[in-house]
Amino acid sequence: MTGRETTMDARDTELKKELDAALQARRELGEEYESALVDSFLEKVDQRIDGAVERRVRRQFAEQQTVSARGGRSSGATDSWGERFGFGIVSLVLAIPLSAIGAGVAHLPGLIVSWIGIVGINVVQAARINPNLFGRRRGSAQNGDWEG
């Protein structure tokens, strides 16, 4: 069991205790206080949710700042061979019907337009995966490596 699971179990146990206390108070106080007790319990639940969301946002923001400071990409951004291969396969599979439709409707110009679109999408995907693919690398202009 991880520390996070232990924390979640502790929160769940605490929340169950608060719910039991609210139900016991309702039994003792009667129906006339029911809406106030429910509102109070829901406010506690909202506070817990807000706290959890705030912690997640702070953690993600800190991770993004760390990645930015290192000048790298986030761990969520994948550059795996499988992703590239899968995108290429899907692109080729979809190219067949798109080529047929383009050529059937507008003959050679339609075929050319469909393939320009297919190549364009693949270029955008390649640029997304590797931002430095079509431009100069960071710092190269200061070092005089490339003159535009």
Side-chain angles (χ1 to χ4, degrees):
M1 188 180 284
T2 66
R4 186 175 182 172
E5 290 172 348
T6 304
T7 305
M8 292 298 287
D9 289 342
R11 288 182 191 153
D12 288 344
T13 302
E14 192 175 321
L15 195 58
K16 286 178 185 177
K17 286 180 184 178
E18 289 181 19
L19 178 59
D20 288 339
L23 291 173
Q24 184 62 31
R26 192 250 181 225
R27 284 185 207 112
E28 292 174 5
L29 297 174
E31 289 184 23
E32 60 271 4
Y33 292 101
E34 184 172 329
S35 65
L37 291 169
V38 169
D39 289 343
S40 173
F41 179 74
L42 290 177
E43 188 173 321
K44 289 177 185 177
V45 171
D46 283 343
Q47 289 172 354
R48 291 252 169 87
I49 292 171
D50 289 344
V53 168
E54 186 177 329
R55 283 189 298 276
R56 284 185 184 161
V57 168
R58 273 191 265 135
R59 184 179 66 236
Q60 288 176 346
F61 183 69
E63 288 173 1
Q64 288 175 350
Q65 285 184 324
T66 302
V67 168
S68 294
R70 291 181 182 163
R73 294 172 61 189
S74 69
S75 59
T78 59
D79 186 16
S80 68
W81 180 85
E83 180 185 6
R84 293 189 310 261
F85 182 74
F87 191 83
I89 292 295
V90 169
S91 178
L92 288 174
V93 167
L94 291 176
I96 295 167
L98 290 174
S99 298
I101 293 168
V105 172
H107 305 289
L108 183 61
L111 182 65
I112 291 171
V113 168
S114 65
W115 273 95
I116 288 172
I118 293 165
V119 169
I121 289 173
N122 280 280
V123 167
V124 169
Q125 174 70 3
R128 185 191 68 81
I129 290 175
N130 187 0
N132 297 323
L133 186 63
F134 299 111
R136 55 184 165 180
R137 298 187 187 272
R138 286 187 185 149
S140 61
Q142 291 89 3
N143 298 334
D145 294 339
W146 186 72
E147 306 256 333

